[in-house]
Amino acid sequence: LSRLRETFVAGLRERFPDVVINEATDPARRLPHIANAAFPGADGETLLLSLDLRGVAVSSGSACASGSIDPSHVLLALGLPEGLAGSAVRFSFGRGTREDDLPLIWDAVGDCV
């Protein structure tokens, strides 16, 4: 999952130069199956709904805040400006996620952003 996550993040950075990846600087402190990305100027809720319509399930906050339309309290506590935190979505990967799924996700993000 770590390799899949790193490939996904590298692809986001390549395709979306303004993307902000919200992560611990120490890879040992990152969850191997989660990537949180903010897309400056985008609305996180709109992005979430648009991706869902394309078959990509993402979240705009932590699991404990599901259903909330406010920016992630975790990202705000980490010091992200409200606008940037409001443009963030969380991608989660599991054993059913394959590397050949990634181009489909990148394309969907590109269409939605």
Side-chain angles (χ1 to χ4, degrees), residues 13-92:
R13 287 185 168 131
E14 179 182 313
R15 289 163 176 78
F16 309 98
D18 293 338
V19 71
V20 176
I21 305 298
N22 305 301
E23 63 186 4
T25 54
D26 177 3
R29 297 192 61 177
R30 295 181 202 149
L31 292 173
H33 65 292
I34 294 176
N36 186 289
F39 299 90
D43 177 72
E45 287 299 312
T46 301
L47 187 54
L48 182 143
L49 294 172
S50 297
L51 286 169
D52 183 56
L53 290 173
R54 288 166 176 79
V56 178
V58 296
S59 175
S60 61
S62 62
C64 60
S66 69
S68 173
I69 60 170
D70 296 327
S72 166
H73 68 281
V74 173
L75 296 178
L76 294 174
L78 290 172
L80 260 68
E82 190 168 332
L84 193 56
S87 72
V89 291
R90 186 184 74 226
F91 298 86
S92 301

